[in-house]
Amino acid sequence: MGRRRTPELYRAPFPLYALRVDPSAGLLIAAGGGGAAKTGIKNGVHFLQLEQINGRLSASLLHSHDTETRATMNLALAGNILAAGQDAHCQLLRFQIHQQKGKNKAEKAGESLPQGPRQRKGAAPAEKKSGAETHQEGVEFSVENLHEVQTDFSRDPLQKVVCFNHDNTLLATGGTDGCVRVWKVWFGEKLNLGPGKLLVTVGWDLKASVWQKDQLVTQLHWQENGPTFSNTPYRYQACSESGTFLGLGTVTGSVAIYIAFSLQRLYYVKEAHGIVVTDVAFLPEKGRGPELLGSHETALFSVAVDSRCQLHLLPSRQRGPGPHCSLHLGPQLRLPRIRLMGSACPSHLKPGSGPVQP
């Protein structure tokens, strides 16, 4: 039997490192690039429109945003706000999408228009100057740089992880200096604080720590409590919105989907990408998620250095009688140690409490 082939949703003109899904607009957001090296490989964030066409989930390029000399290595999404890890900094971006008002002559005459995305004949001067380009007629798409802040201060600084809390009032970042920094975030609107203020971090020291503010709540030592490691380590993971499924990507390019509470493997494609998987994300279960999912139980997206975004579909299973269990997992950060730090920061980002060394 030959190797299972997975649907390729999109191929970018640069290596892909980060991936997020906006359920309200049905957008798949993929980012990466070649960095500051003058190799001719661009850096950018691509916004893809997800839609069902003839019963199949597909993606088409809606808008491309040029990030100049910085490759985006990690992403977090809060509504229409993106937190992008670029070198030692976290860049806040706001994107907005609007359908253009009015109809063209063909629509007024009742003529049918070709379906699917089409390349615009020419971008507006501002778009050409910034390297941004919208690839679908009848759509106005804008990306605004809100603010940036340095989040890593090591000798070779690099932000490696970023995530928002459940109500988008806090932003956690972690980098090669082994520190987690928590920032207060607001976007000019009222945000309600809800229950659950725990942060979960996972580091190369094989420890998983649960924190409440700067206090260590509990800790798991994997060598003492966990099973034996496989020969192929998992590099990136994601948990579905309900906590039911766990998606994993390996350094050899393989992709798997597990049941979170039992770790039963439901889906596995060996070397789907053939090179290290850099990020995975589930199709959310709210917004346009159910509509886009169709008859499948869940969908996992994966990206890799091979510039490809792949789709992994899990067919619906027959559920037997009895209760359905699920496990809710918090944000995971791969860091060897953790501390909260505070420093002056203007405008949209302000750090939390002062330095605490656990």
Side-chain angles (χ1 to χ4, degrees):
M1 181 180 295
R3 181 182 298 176
R4 182 193 296 187
R5 299 187 65 179
T6 54
E8 181 180 308
L9 273 184
Y10 180 67
R11 185 179 298 188
F14 46 73
L16 292 173
Y17 294 105
L19 182 67
R20 284 296 177 267
V21 184
D22 176 13
S24 60
L27 292 178
L28 184 64
I29 306 168
K38 297 181 179 180
T39 59
I41 301 177
K42 293 184 177 182
N43 303 292
V45 180
H46 283 191
F47 297 83
L48 311 176
Q49 184 67 66
L50 294 172
E51 48 192 345
Q52 279 277 353
I53 299 179
N54 297 326
R56 299 182 62 179
L57 184 59
S58 65
S60 56
L61 180 60
L62 180 63
H63 182 82
S64 56
H65 174 70
D66 189 357
T67 56
E68 299 178 354
T69 61
R70 292 180 178 178
T72 298
M73 305 300 292
N74 40 81
L75 285 173
L77 179 64
N80 67 333
I81 303 295
L82 278 174
Q86 299 172 355
D87 297 334
H89 297 79
C90 184
Q91 175 75 58
L92 282 185
L93 304 170
R94 176 189 281 125
F95 62 90
Q96 293 180 312
I97 179 172
H98 300 286
Q99 296 293 329
Q100 290 181 348
K101 295 181 179 180
K103 299 182 179 180
N104 57 33
K105 295 180 180 179
E107 288 175 307
K108 288 180 180 179
E111 299 176 8
S112 60
L113 296 176
Q115 299 299 314
R118 291 164 293 180
Q119 183 74 34
R120 292 198 323 182
K121 294 182 179 179
E127 287 184 335
K128 288 183 177 179
K129 184 178 180 180
S130 65
E133 191 170 359
T134 302
H135 298 260
Q136 191 168 354
E137 291 182 0
V139 172
E140 293 180 356
F141 200 108
S142 63
V143 180
E144 175 188 3
N145 291 324
L146 294 179
H147 202 78
E148 74 172 52
V149 63
Q150 185 170 350
T151 60
D152 189 78
F153 298 88
S154 58
R155 180 173 296 180
D156 297 311
L158 177 66
Q159 178 179 298
K160 300 193 70 174
V161 286
V162 59
C163 67
F164 287 97
N165 69 334
H166 68 284
D167 61 1
N168 305 329
T169 57
L170 298 175
L171 180 71
T173 61
T176 55
D177 61 2
C179 300
V180 169
R181 295 172 174 87
V182 180
W183 311 82
K184 293 181 181 179
V185 187
W186 67 95
F187 309 113
E189 56 189 39
K190 185 177 180 180
L191 296 172
N192 296 321
L193 215 48
K197 301 177 181 178
L198 299 179
L199 176 69
V200 181
T201 62
V202 179
W204 293 111
D205 57 359
L206 304 183
K207 296 178 182 179
S209 303
V210 181
W211 305 85
Q212 187 166 27
K213 295 185 177 180
D214 59 335
Q215 300 298 314
L216 179 64
V217 177
T218 186
Q219 194 171 64
L220 169 68
H221 296 261
W222 196 264
Q223 288 179 319
E224 299 174 6
N225 309 104
T228 304
F229 283 105
S230 64
N231 293 328
T232 304
Y234 288 104
R235 182 175 177 86
Y236 283 92
Q237 66 283 324
C239 190
S240 63
E241 202 168 50
S242 64
T244 304
F245 301 109
L246 187 66
L248 301 172
T250 74
V251 295
T252 59
S254 302
V255 178
I257 300 176
Y258 287 77
I259 296 178
F261 68 88
S262 66
L263 294 184
Q264 175 188 350
R265 193 169 74 183
L266 302 176
Y267 175 97
Y268 178 73
V269 179
K270 183 179 180 181
E271 298 178 359
H273 286 275
I275 196 170
V276 57
V277 176
T278 50
D279 205 359
V280 290
F282 279 99
L283 179 66
E285 298 160 7
K286 60 185 179 182
R288 295 192 58 204
E291 166 200 340
L292 295 169
L293 191 59
S295 61
H296 296 87
E297 190 161 358
T298 192
L300 180 71
F301 303 100
S302 63
V303 293
V305 183
D306 61 4
S307 306
R308 299 178 181 182
C309 177
Q310 292 186 350
L311 171 65
H312 309 271
L313 292 169
L314 181 66
S316 295
R317 297 169 295 144
Q318 296 253 340
R319 296 189 184 276
H324 174 63
C325 300
S326 64
L327 174 67
H328 293 272
L329 302 178
Q332 295 186 357
L333 303 173
R334 293 177 174 270
L335 297 163
R337 59 193 178 95
I338 180 172
R339 65 180 174 179
L340 288 174
M341 294 193 67
S343 59
C345 173
S347 189
H348 298 280
L349 290 173
K350 287 194 175 181
S353 55
V356 177
Q357 183 70 43

